[in-house]
Amino acid sequence: MFNVISILIGLVALLIAVIGIFPIISLVNWIAFPIAVVGLAFGLLSRGTAGRNLNLLVLLVSGLRLWLTGGIL
C-alpha cells in the first residue's frame, strides 16, 4: 500500500518537476523537492522499490535543476 502511495506522490512531484525545467517557472522545483522527499519516505516504508526509485529520480531532477541555477532561476 505504501508503494502505491509513494508512486502517486512521485507522479505528482514529477509533473511539477517537469514544469519546473522551463527557465521562466523553475521556482516550482522548490515545491517538487519536498513533495518527492515525502514520497521517498513512503517508498522507504514499502516492500516494493518502484515508488522509492521514482521519487529518487524526481529528487535528482529537481535537485540538479536547483543546484545548477543556484536555487533562484
Side-chain angles (χ1 to χ4, degrees):
M1 185 66 186
F2 282 126
N3 197 30
V4 174
I5 294 170
S6 178
I7 290 171
L8 291 175
I9 292 172
L11 289 175
V12 169
L14 181 65
L15 178 67
I16 294 170
V18 167
I19 292 171
I21 289 176
F22 298 108
I24 297 172
I25 48 178
S26 64
L27 285 176
V28 296
N29 282 315
W30 283 108
I31 298 169
F33 198 82
I35 292 172
V37 169
V38 171
L40 179 65
F42 277 107
L44 290 174
L45 293 173
S46 70
R47 289 185 182 183
T49 60
R52 182 193 67 207
N53 293 341
L54 175 63
N55 285 294
L56 283 173
L57 175 72
V58 174
L59 283 172
L60 179 72
V61 168
S62 64
L64 183 66
R65 176 71 170 126
L66 286 171
W67 178 70
L68 287 174
T69 60
I72 298 170
L73 299 174

